[in-house]
Short mmCIF file of all heavy atoms in Angstrom, two decimals:
data_model
loop_
_atom_site.label_atom_id
_atom_site.label_comp_id
_atom_site.label_asym_id
_atom_site.label_seq_id
_atom_site.Cartn_x
_atom_site.Cartn_y
_atom_site.Cartn_z
N PRO A 89 -0.68 8.01 33.95
CA PRO A 89 0.41 8.51 34.81
C PRO A 89 1.78 8.52 34.16
O PRO A 89 2.65 9.29 34.55
CB PRO A 89 0.38 7.54 36.01
CG PRO A 89 -0.29 6.32 35.49
CD PRO A 89 -1.30 6.78 34.48
N THR A 90 2.02 7.67 33.17
CA THR A 90 3.32 7.62 32.51
C THR A 90 3.16 8.06 31.06
O THR A 90 2.08 7.93 30.48
CB THR A 90 3.92 6.21 32.56
OG1 THR A 90 2.99 5.31 31.93
CG2 THR A 90 4.16 5.79 34.00
N PRO A 91 4.22 8.58 30.43
CA PRO A 91 4.13 9.02 29.04
C PRO A 91 3.82 7.85 28.10
O PRO A 91 4.19 6.71 28.36
CB PRO A 91 5.51 9.61 28.75
CG PRO A 91 6.12 9.85 30.08
CD PRO A 91 5.54 8.86 31.02
N TYR A 92 3.13 8.19 27.02
CA TYR A 92 2.81 7.17 26.01
C TYR A 92 4.10 6.68 25.33
O TYR A 92 4.29 5.48 25.13
CB TYR A 92 1.85 7.73 24.98
CG TYR A 92 1.30 6.71 24.04
CD1 TYR A 92 0.40 5.76 24.45
CD2 TYR A 92 1.70 6.71 22.70
CE1 TYR A 92 -0.11 4.81 23.58
CE2 TYR A 92 1.20 5.77 21.82
CZ TYR A 92 0.30 4.83 22.26
OH TYR A 92 -0.19 3.90 21.39
N ILE A 93 4.97 7.61 24.99
CA ILE A 93 6.28 7.29 24.43
C ILE A 93 7.32 8.14 25.15
O ILE A 93 7.24 9.37 25.13
CB ILE A 93 6.34 7.55 22.91
CG1 ILE A 93 5.36 6.64 22.16
CG2 ILE A 93 7.75 7.32 22.39
CD1 ILE A 93 5.33 6.88 20.67
N GLU A 94 8.26 7.51 25.79
CA GLU A 94 9.33 8.22 26.50
C GLU A 94 10.49 8.48 25.54
O GLU A 94 10.91 7.58 24.79
CB GLU A 94 9.80 7.40 27.70
CG GLU A 94 8.73 7.21 28.76
CD GLU A 94 9.24 6.37 29.92
OE1 GLU A 94 10.22 5.64 29.74
OE2 GLU A 94 8.64 6.47 31.00
N TRP A 95 11.01 9.68 25.60
CA TRP A 95 12.08 10.05 24.69
C TRP A 95 13.38 9.31 24.98
O TRP A 95 14.24 9.22 24.11
CB TRP A 95 12.33 11.56 24.74
CG TRP A 95 11.23 12.34 24.11
CD1 TRP A 95 10.31 13.11 24.74
CD2 TRP A 95 10.92 12.40 22.72
NE1 TRP A 95 9.43 13.66 23.85
CE2 TRP A 95 9.78 13.24 22.59
CE3 TRP A 95 11.47 11.83 21.58
CZ2 TRP A 95 9.21 13.51 21.36
CZ3 TRP A 95 10.89 12.11 20.35
CH2 TRP A 95 9.78 12.94 20.24
N ARG A 96 13.50 8.77 26.18
CA ARG A 96 14.76 8.09 26.50
C ARG A 96 14.91 6.75 25.79
O ARG A 96 15.99 6.15 25.83
CB ARG A 96 14.88 7.87 28.00
CG ARG A 96 13.78 7.00 28.61
CD ARG A 96 14.00 6.84 30.09
NE ARG A 96 12.95 6.01 30.70
CZ ARG A 96 12.96 5.66 31.98
NH1 ARG A 96 13.95 6.08 32.77
NH2 ARG A 96 11.98 4.91 32.47
N ILE A 97 13.86 6.28 25.12
CA ILE A 97 14.00 5.02 24.41
C ILE A 97 14.93 5.17 23.20
O ILE A 97 15.46 4.17 22.71
CB ILE A 97 12.64 4.47 23.95
CG1 ILE A 97 12.00 5.38 22.89
CG2 ILE A 97 11.71 4.27 25.12
CD1 ILE A 97 10.74 4.80 22.28
N VAL A 98 15.13 6.41 22.74
CA VAL A 98 16.05 6.60 21.61
C VAL A 98 17.50 6.40 22.02
O VAL A 98 18.38 6.36 21.16
CB VAL A 98 15.86 8.00 20.99
CG1 VAL A 98 14.45 8.17 20.49
CG2 VAL A 98 16.20 9.10 22.00
N ARG A 99 17.76 6.29 23.33
CA ARG A 99 19.13 6.08 23.78
C ARG A 99 19.59 4.64 23.60
O ARG A 99 20.79 4.37 23.74
CB ARG A 99 19.26 6.48 25.25
CG ARG A 99 18.92 7.94 25.54
CD ARG A 99 18.99 8.23 27.03
NE ARG A 99 18.60 9.61 27.32
CZ ARG A 99 18.50 10.10 28.56
NH1 ARG A 99 18.74 9.31 29.60
NH2 ARG A 99 18.12 11.35 28.74
N TYR A 100 18.67 3.74 23.35
CA TYR A 100 19.08 2.36 23.11
C TYR A 100 19.94 2.30 21.86
O TYR A 100 19.63 2.92 20.84
CB TYR A 100 17.86 1.45 22.97
CG TYR A 100 17.15 1.20 24.28
CD1 TYR A 100 15.98 1.88 24.60
CD2 TYR A 100 17.65 0.29 25.20
CE1 TYR A 100 15.31 1.65 25.79
CE2 TYR A 100 17.00 0.06 26.41
CZ TYR A 100 15.84 0.74 26.70
OH TYR A 100 15.19 0.51 27.88
N ARG A 101 20.97 1.51 21.93
CA ARG A 101 22.02 1.57 20.93
C ARG A 101 21.52 1.20 19.52
O ARG A 101 21.83 1.88 18.55
CB ARG A 101 23.16 0.64 21.33
CG ARG A 101 24.34 0.66 20.38
CD ARG A 101 25.45 -0.24 20.88
NE ARG A 101 26.59 -0.23 19.97
CZ ARG A 101 27.68 -0.98 20.13
NH1 ARG A 101 27.77 -1.78 21.19
NH2 ARG A 101 28.67 -0.92 19.26
N TYR A 102 20.75 0.10 19.41
CA TYR A 102 20.39 -0.41 18.09
C TYR A 102 18.95 -0.08 17.71
O TYR A 102 18.46 -0.61 16.71
CB TYR A 102 20.57 -1.94 18.07
CG TYR A 102 22.00 -2.37 18.29
CD1 TYR A 102 22.40 -2.95 19.49
CD2 TYR A 102 22.96 -2.22 17.29
CE1 TYR A 102 23.71 -3.35 19.70
CE2 TYR A 102 24.27 -2.61 17.49
CZ TYR A 102 24.64 -3.17 18.69
OH TYR A 102 25.94 -3.55 18.89
N LEU A 103 18.28 0.78 18.47
CA LEU A 103 16.89 1.08 18.16
C LEU A 103 16.77 1.86 16.86
O LEU A 103 15.95 1.52 15.99
CB LEU A 103 16.25 1.85 19.30
CG LEU A 103 14.80 2.32 19.04
CD1 LEU A 103 13.88 1.12 18.86
CD2 LEU A 103 14.30 3.21 20.17
N ARG A 104 17.55 2.89 16.68
CA ARG A 104 17.43 3.73 15.48
C ARG A 104 17.75 2.98 14.19
O ARG A 104 17.02 3.13 13.20
CB ARG A 104 18.30 4.98 15.64
CG ARG A 104 17.67 6.03 16.54
CD ARG A 104 18.61 7.15 16.88
NE ARG A 104 19.68 6.73 17.78
CZ ARG A 104 20.61 7.52 18.27
NH1 ARG A 104 20.62 8.81 17.92
NH2 ARG A 104 21.52 7.07 19.09
N PRO A 105 18.81 2.14 14.14
CA PRO A 105 19.01 1.35 12.91
C PRO A 105 17.85 0.41 12.61
O PRO A 105 17.47 0.24 11.45
CB PRO A 105 20.30 0.58 13.19
CG PRO A 105 21.02 1.39 14.20
CD PRO A 105 19.96 2.00 15.05
N ILE A 106 17.28 -0.21 13.66
CA ILE A 106 16.16 -1.13 13.44
C ILE A 106 14.96 -0.37 12.86
O ILE A 106 14.34 -0.81 11.88
CB ILE A 106 15.78 -1.84 14.75
CG1 ILE A 106 16.91 -2.78 15.18
CG2 ILE A 106 14.49 -2.62 14.59
CD1 ILE A 106 16.69 -3.40 16.55
N LEU A 107 14.63 0.77 13.47
CA LEU A 107 13.49 1.54 12.98
C LEU A 107 13.74 2.09 11.58
O LEU A 107 12.81 2.23 10.78
CB LEU A 107 13.18 2.67 13.96
CG LEU A 107 12.67 2.25 15.34
CD1 LEU A 107 12.41 3.48 16.20
CD2 LEU A 107 11.42 1.39 15.23
#
Side-chain angles (χ1 to χ4, degrees):
T90 58
Y92 189 71
I93 297 178
E94 296 179 339
W95 289 109
R96 61 180 180 176
I97 66 173
V98 299
R99 300 177 183 176
Y100 287 102
R101 182 178 180 183
Y102 297 107
L103 176 63
R104 282 170 289 183
I106 293 173
L107 294 180

